[in-house]
Amino acid sequence: MVIQKEKKSCGQVVEEWKEFVWNPRTHQFMGRTGTSWAFILLFYLVFYGFLTAMFSLTMWVMLQTVSDHTPKYQDRLATPGLMIRPKTENLDVIVNVSDTESWDQHVQKLNKFLDPYNDSIQAQKNDVCRPGRYYEQPDNGVLNYPKRACQFNRTQLGNCSGIGDPTHYGYSTGQPCVFIKMNRVINFYAGANQSMNVTCVGKRDEDAENLGHFVMFPANGNIDLMYFPYYGKKFHVNYTQPLVAVKFLNVTPNVEVNVECRINAANIATDDERDKFAGRVAFKLRINKT
Amino acid sequence: MVGGFSILLWVGAFLCWIAYGIQYSSDKSASLNNVYLGSVLVLVVILTGVFAYYQEAKSTNIMSSFNNMIPQQAVVIRDSEKKTIPAEQLVVGDIVEVKGGDQIPADVRVLSSQGCRVDNSSLTGESEPQPRSSEFTHENPLETKNICFYSTTCLEGTVTGMVINTGDRTIIGHIASLASGVGNEKTPIAIEIEHFVHIVAGVAVSIGILFFIIAVSLKYRVLDSVIFLIGIIVANVPEGLLGTVTVTLSLTAKRMAKKNCLVKNLEAVETLGSTSIICSDKTGTLTQNRMTVAHLWFDNQIFVADTSEDHSNQVFDQSSSTWASLSKIITLCNRAEFKPGQENVPIMKKAVIGDASEAALLKFSEVILGDVMEIRKRNRKVVEIPFNSTNKFQLSIHETDDPHDKRFLMVMKGAPERILEKCSTIMINGEEHPLDESTAKTFHTAYMELGGLGERVLGFCHLYLPADEFPETYSFDIDAMNFPTSNLCFVGLLSMIDPPRSTVPDAVTKCRSAGIKVIMVTGDHPITAKAIAKSVGIISANSETVEDIAHRLNIPVEQVNQRDAKATVVTGMELNDMSLEQLDEILANYQEIVFARTSPQQKLIIVEGCQRQDAVVAVTGDGVNDSPALKKADIGIAMGIAGSDAAKNAADMVLLDDNFASIVTGVEEGRLIFDNLKKTIAYTLTKNIAELCPFLIYIIAGLPLPIGTITILFIDLGTDIIPSIALAYEKAESDIMNRKPRHKKKDRLVNKQLAVYSYLHIGLMQALGAFLVYFTVYAQEGFLPHTLINLRVEWENDNVNDLEDHYGQEWTRYQREYLEWTGYTAFFVGILVQQIADLIIRKTRRNSIFQQGLFRNKVIWVGIASQIIIGLILSYGLGSVTALSFTMLRAQYWFVAVPHAILIWVYDEVRKLFIRLYPGSWWDKNMYY
């Protein structure tokens, strides 16, 4: 004798569901009476209210350990990364010389990016500092802020400053400027008191050939020590980070060129295997000419 | 068992590979993470599958044991020539000859026999040798005397017969096909786990799909949404749980093996715990399976003999000289002998040559009188007539050991009424008195009383032959019977029974208080069955059967109100005439039931009847005849010592000591494991929410991913495994043997309360705690919580290498990724720390942890230690292996979640407190799982 599994007909299932949703005999909605629902809702209201309060409290306590001015830990930022401007989707600077639109967006971005560097603004907000020395502004026991920043004038970028430049940073002539900037890291003494500079090369041999000549502004791609250390957004209100502009003069057209720029500084390693942007930046450059 | 989860994990794995494929086709340098993840998921599926297969493979093929029983050779008369041929070549109509010691080669109808007795115990359960002759005595082939059955043994004599059935068509073959025809029903725990898998899979799939839709409608790319889906599945499926359950069950199985319950089918461990009816065999399980002298009657008085296992304490009055005579008869009128070479074996355990009653008498006298063989030597046997069924007595004549007494002593034993017929005097207090009406009446009362106890009664008498008529040189002739066989002197009665094991009554009481109904099913006579049932408590002292009531009130059975009787004895014959409804009624209405004279098929019917009552039925058995019922039962329990191979194969469990009491310990373990599995599952399910929430938050609020799928796998298959197994060692919270067996359909392993409490209470608290650690790590590195919201796209963009944090610092992608891994590790540690609290609270469901004892279960602490050690190894040892995405975490982050862990503990203590304070209240109903 085999015990047969009872198969429910479709109608029965619907009927059972109906009864589950609203049971007229026991006045149960979804298996609970009104009072039961009230109880359960009240319970969860109180319970979750309590949990929210508890979480908020612990979060608040946690936030008390965090200063508003400087981060508690910086262990991940021992080596600042490098980045380029204009900022593009895939770190590639593609310029169709004849197609204004292809580079106009770059130009717009650069204009906006370089605005704070205008000499007038710099002169108004920032100090003239002594080059070759860190511009330290210690707190000496009392909070000393806002801290002053050193001037980095747009004119220092020479042909790449874009001031009164009909070539639009060289984009309209196929001699584009790319700006290299080093990531800001609070209290980082870049260069360890020795001068440092940015150099760029073609990544492979053929890239080097295709890259052709370029000039750097400031000369040699130097970055001055006076722009360091950085004291953070809250303290160092008008800080403008130093830039290095690279103007590529005769890139072989219609070829993709891999360029790598790195910073040569005593305390910045540029050979991290995993972090491809530690102290260096690689980008693609392509000038399309017809 | 793994179906539901396997499918989910397969889906997850394929989604991983598809995701990688899509990534690869758009970007050749796509990270291999998804491939690893997919492979790990498949590995998990395969491992669980291998586990399951291993379990399946262990379940044995029952038919193989029947093949092993085929007798090798048979002597057959063909072409008027005796030939020896392999038994499988026999055909119906062959004439075969079988002699003592042979196995019967097929079902055989007896043509002629000489003193043939067969041992049918493996088939019918009757322990006594059955005589076989050509006489047709019963319609039922199992009852008639002229059929010998395949696979039984011919003990003595010879038999010539015609083959009437061979192979599968034999009675035993029929039983075999019954056994193999009975499908393997799912065990209760398998059903429970399936139910649980359904719940979890349901949650996983519905949340997965819901968030897939949400993700797509939030304009995430389909590829990303797929990856979310994988995360949600992985977070939801407790990968390690099925393995844990198996390990937990096998740990209990090991523990049970120590208590003499050998579990063949792991899931049976729990089945035993949910058992609500035990159908127990009588012989060997409830009883000691050896005839033992239970009562004596002499000097008009009944004496009770000690029937305990070692027989040591014989306290009846041995001073009467009647006893001296009686003991002499018992010793001398007995052909049984101990097998040689057992000097160091306790008397009761010695093997004996001879039938069961004679062996009982031999051991009885050996215990009381000392060396029986020596006594027999001193009283040399002159001549004897062995017992046969026509005479119904056994007689021997001896020289006496008194050198001055030259008389021969004739001793006789046999069926009491036959013995009494031959007597004219009766010995009382050592003196012979004439046997008159009144003494005959006392004899009859005693005989009836002992018979009523279900005992086999033997009468004993003797006669000193006068020396003048029978001088020393007299030659006795058995055939001529040249000696008197009447006017003897009646000495006493002795009754024997296969006594209950001493531990059984206790065990039966325990079953009763545990809400388990014990039903006796036996092939034995109703009277014996009832007597044993009464003595072990299956029929309790104060309950009566309908017949008892009729007898007490002196009214016909028909007039008794059926409802008054709590107990009933049903014979196989009655059962035959019953409809299934009537059987159901009996099973439902009577608390105490004994089935006697039942056949194997009937045993099956009884088991099915019990199962129709929604009961979980355990069946014990030893014979081949029991195997269908063993197979049909929810849990079949075979006897390890007395059990046949077929029974052992059909059973889920083997009782190594054949002792019913071991079943009860098994039940206790089974109930404990159910409770503990509940705790294990609650423990395991809790963290699912903590693993799931990160994905939900990630999708909705766009935070950097708080925990990676690989990390989740390290929790599920790493840190959580040993703690969840440790819960299997938890002691019971209260006396689990004092509550009703769980209802198969109502008391689920994973019920709504458990799921809700694990998911929505503790799980959520855990998620909050883990998020706290995560936010702490990010905040202290520079990303305050508010800066994280909707940061996901930029955060994960490989080409954004100057992402600004709260302080104006800029981060490269790799620096962020490393921070993300630190976040994974932090979230992992957060869950880990709170899982410790979770583990501690899961020790009990109702009692306070302090009532249960924090340190009573040492394994829990091993589990906690393992959790921490694995966590430390992952974080500090393997922190540099990129694929695992663990980093070295600052030591203080291990303590961030501690307040939440403490909160979990406190909250659960409060929950338990209210449950204890207000049983049956709204709180109890909603919060007790």
Side-chain angles (χ1 to χ4, degrees), chain A residues 1 32 44 48 65-67 69 73-76 79 85 89 181 183-184 186 233 274-275 277, chain B residues 608 756 760-761 776 780-781 799 801-802 804 806-810 812 814-815 818 892 926:
Chain A
M1 161 91 209
R32 282 180 186 280
Y44 278 102
Y48 286 160
T65 68
V66 177
S67 142
H69 311 292
Y73 299 115
Q74 287 181 285
D75 49 301
R76 295 324 324 150
T79 314
R85 287 291 182 275
E89 190 65 19
K181 73 185 212 5
N183 282 352
R184 295 188 292 264
I186 290 174
K233 201 157 73 177
R274 296 206 184 124
D275 191 351
F277 292 85
Chain B
E608 282 169 350
V756 167
L760 296 184
H761 295 209
T776 310
Q780 299 198 335
E781 289 280 355
N799 294 318
N801 281 290
D802 53 352
E804 205 178 302
H806 177 73
Y807 300 100
Q809 306 188 96
E810 291 167 315
T812 66
Y814 180 76
Q815 287 163 346
Y818 196 89
Q892 73 261 31
N926 283 282

Side-chain angles (χ1 to χ4, degrees), chain A residues 274, chain B residues 818 821 873-882 885-888:
Chain A
R274 296 206 184 124
Chain B
Y818 196 89
W821 293 339
I873 291 175
L874 285 175
S875 173
Y876 301 108
L878 302 175
S880 49
V881 183
T882 351
S885 47
F886 278 94
T887 66
M888 309 222 184

